Amino acid sequence: MKKRIGSYPRVRVEGGGRGVVSQAGAVLLVETIRKSGLDQAISTALAPWRKPRAVHDPGKVLLDVALAVALGGDCLADVAMLRAEPAMFGPVASDPTVSRLVGTLAAGGNRALTAIRQARAHAREHVWQLAGDTAPDADGQVTVDLDGVLVISHSDKQDAAATWKKTFGHHPLMGFVDHGTGGSGEPVAAVLRPGNAGTNTAADHITTTQLALTQLPKTYRRGRRTLVRTESGGGTHEFVGWLAKRGRWLSYSVGMTITEQIHQAVLKVPAPAWTPAVEPGGEIRDGAWVAEITGDCLKGWPKGMRLIVRKERPHPGAQLRITDADGLRLTCFATNTTDMPIAALELRHRRRARAEDRIRAARATGLRNLPLHDTAQNQIWLEIVQLALDLLAWMPMLALTGETRRWKPRRLRLRLFSAAAQIITTARRRHLRFARHWPWTDVITDALTRLATLPNPG
């Protein structure tokens, strides 16, 4: 008997293998692109930028980069891992071709950005129709969360500046559609801003909301069925007035800064007026209460606005602020919803914290840094990141069930997309044969079966 040395078996490494496809689980994303019609929509939208006798379609090139980012890439050159597998991803453009296309689209300015966004909106509406009961608008409501993202820059890129957290980089403002507790979320807006952009700039919030609304089906672009949630940066007179403007009538739930006037009003709230806060299951939240503030605090704000404040025992290690009272942390938000109890409204606003999960997913999907120098090019990169995040949200919505539908991008890559397979050609058809011992092979094959049953676009 030969004694083994070390903790792992020793294997010999040889090159020249055939018929093996790495990242074979990415076929889930490829099929999602096909069923959503995103490839056709973006190819049509970018047709004006295709040069005569060009070999590569600009839409296909942009989607290839988005696929690479969805699989974990963080620069344009990472499209090489798709180029290495032509049997699954088809012909992939060279690095210079990809770079030239990004430069060309950046030079196209708002016209190119609008074309990409319209293609995404067209595909999004189709995906929501396919998703049915699992779509974000299944209950007749759509929730859009706005939040800022700090992207650190390690070199002097255009518009990079010192941020409010004493770092250096950019401060994009993004919008996400919330999928609720049963799913994740998908991006619907991203505005690239300098690092020193303010967190409460009303004009930027309005622009981001406008972009987000154009990504929604037309029936949700105005009216109470669309809820816009923000943290305290959105609690400005101009932004709230824009949301509540006659003819727009959007629902809103925006965080508010605790001013001295609000602080004094909270101190005057009688004890019986405080209502216990609730948890998602309906049980009482320990150590938290909510109350509605009226009176002079609402002067100058849109008609119908409600101001709701929460007091809660601070978490261990948290420091109180000067605006807190009686050893309790105070927070407040404004809303124009009138048909819900204040405890339910507070719970709805607290769920805005799910936007932090969407930001973490974005950081893990190409937003860890902005790889290009010019602002116009990095805005194209933001669109590519959103395309990748769309695919990572649409695929679970259409193909996964249960707990797997809530998997974050890193888990999807580790368990599904990284799975290798053997490619076999029989009867002029190509088949991917996944390893039988891989623990998540059944998840992959079941998801592909669900995608296959969906109707093709058009």
Side-chain angles (χ1 to χ4, degrees):
M1 178 178 178
K2 188 175 181 180
K3 185 177 180 181
R4 189 176 68 185
I5 300 176
S7 301
Y8 298 94
R10 178 176 294 177
V11 296
R12 297 186 181 277
V13 179
E14 298 178 356
R18 295 182 178 180
V20 178
V21 178
S22 62
Q23 299 287 334
V27 68
L28 289 166
L29 298 179
V30 174
E31 289 301 313
T32 300
I33 290 175
R34 183 176 291 114
K35 293 297 182 178
S36 67
L38 182 60
D39 51 347
Q40 301 174 21
I42 203 164
S43 177
T44 302
L46 297 185
W49 285 271
R50 182 168 187 170
K51 295 181 180 179
R53 295 189 296 241
V55 175
H56 296 283
D57 176 23
K60 170 69 162 55
V61 174
L62 207 67
L63 278 179
D64 284 342
V65 180
L67 272 172
V69 172
L71 294 176
D74 62 359
C75 66
L76 298 178
D78 285 334
V79 77
M81 64 180 178
L82 273 64
R83 192 182 303 119
E85 303 293 354
M88 193 165 70
F89 300 108
V92 176
S94 64
D95 291 348
T97 301
V98 173
S99 182
R100 282 194 298 269
L101 175 63
V102 171
T104 300
L105 294 177
N110 287 332
R111 181 166 166 257
L113 292 173
T114 301
I116 297 172
R117 290 163 180 166
Q118 287 177 347
R120 290 176 54 220
H122 179 77
R124 190 183 319 280
E125 184 171 8
H126 182 60
V127 168
W128 288 14
Q129 291 174 354
L130 292 177
D133 293 340
T134 60
D137 65 338
D139 60 352
Q141 302 282 332
V142 174
T143 301
V144 177
D145 293 318
L146 304 185
D147 210 344
V149 187
L150 291 181
V151 182
I152 296 176
S153 175
H154 298 284
S155 61
D156 190 12
K157 299 175 181 178
Q158 188 178 10
D159 285 340
T163 71
W164 62 278
K165 280 196 173 181
K166 302 186 185 303
T167 57
F168 182 80
H170 297 81
H171 189 190
L173 188 60
M174 300 189 69
F176 301 91
V177 168
D178 185 23
H179 285 189
T181 57
S184 56
E186 54 190 289
V188 286
V191 176
L192 185 57
R193 307 187 300 166
N196 55 5
T199 57
N200 60 346
T201 306
D204 292 340
H205 280 79
I206 292 173
T207 300
T208 306
T209 305
Q210 288 173 329
L211 293 176
L213 293 176
T214 59
Q215 285 293 308
L216 304 180
K218 289 184 178 180
T219 185
Y220 296 110
R221 294 179 185 176
R222 63 178 61 196
R224 292 285 192 242
R225 292 197 296 170
T226 300
L227 171 70
V228 178
R229 292 189 301 203
T230 73
E231 36 73 48
S232 59
T236 61
H237 286 79
E238 184 179 353
F239 181 57
V240 175
W242 184 88
L243 292 172
K245 186 176 180 180
R246 181 181 297 273
R248 193 170 289 118
W249 300 119
L250 296 169
S251 297
Y252 60 82
S253 182
V254 299
M256 301 288 286
T257 302
I258 301 287
T259 63
E260 178 62 23
Q261 187 181 32
I262 295 176
H263 185 257
Q264 293 300 322
V266 171
L267 297 179
K268 297 177 182 178
V269 175
W274 290 99
T275 301
V278 297
E279 295 287 7
E283 62 272 14
I284 293 177
R285 182 178 177 87
D286 185 40
W289 301 266
V290 295
E292 185 170 358
I293 304 297
T294 58
D296 293 342
C297 293
L298 299 178
K299 287 184 178 179
W301 292 93
K303 184 180 179 180
M305 190 184 90
R306 305 174 67 186
L307 190 62
I308 298 172
V309 64
R310 180 185 72 176
K311 64 178 183 179
E312 185 175 20
R313 284 195 291 266
H315 299 293
Q319 294 183 346
L320 293 175
R321 298 166 296 191
I322 194 171
T323 54
D324 296 329
D326 299 328
L328 300 174
R329 172 64 52 84
L330 297 181
T331 57
C332 73
F333 66 96
T335 182
N336 60 348
T337 303
T338 59
D339 58 350
M340 292 175 62
I342 59 173
L345 290 173
E346 190 276 331
L347 173 62
R348 185 184 70 174
H349 184 76
R350 199 187 329 144
R351 284 172 168 166
R352 196 209 66 82
R354 284 200 286 253
E356 301 296 333
D357 292 334
R358 309 291 85 79
I359 290 175
R360 279 191 289 270
R363 292 186 189 279
T365 311
L367 204 57
R368 183 181 61 85
N369 69 324
L370 297 174
L372 307 169
H373 178 271
D374 296 345
T375 297
Q377 293 177 334
N378 281 324
Q379 183 64 64
I380 297 297
W381 177 260
L382 269 184
E383 296 301 318
I384 293 172
V385 169
Q386 291 179 87
L387 281 168
L389 290 170
D390 279 337
L391 295 177
L392 292 174
W394 294 347
M395 188 278 292
M397 190 195 307
L398 297 176
L400 300 181
T401 59
E403 180 63 28
T404 59
R405 188 167 175 250
R406 293 188 289 270
W407 283 358
K408 293 179 172 59
R410 286 194 176 107
R411 182 162 292 182
L412 289 172
R413 293 175 192 132
L414 182 65
R415 296 185 175 183
L416 303 186
F417 303 154
S418 65
Q422 184 181 16
I423 192 164
I424 300 171
T425 303
T426 60
R428 297 182 181 180
R429 289 187 176 183
R430 289 174 178 169
H431 300 265
L432 278 177
R433 181 176 294 172
F434 289 91
R436 186 178 303 170
H437 63 271
W438 187 249
W440 300 282
T441 292
D442 289 344
V443 176
I444 297 172
T445 54
D446 290 347
L448 288 171
T449 301
R450 294 187 190 96
L451 287 172
T453 60
L454 297 176
N456 293 318

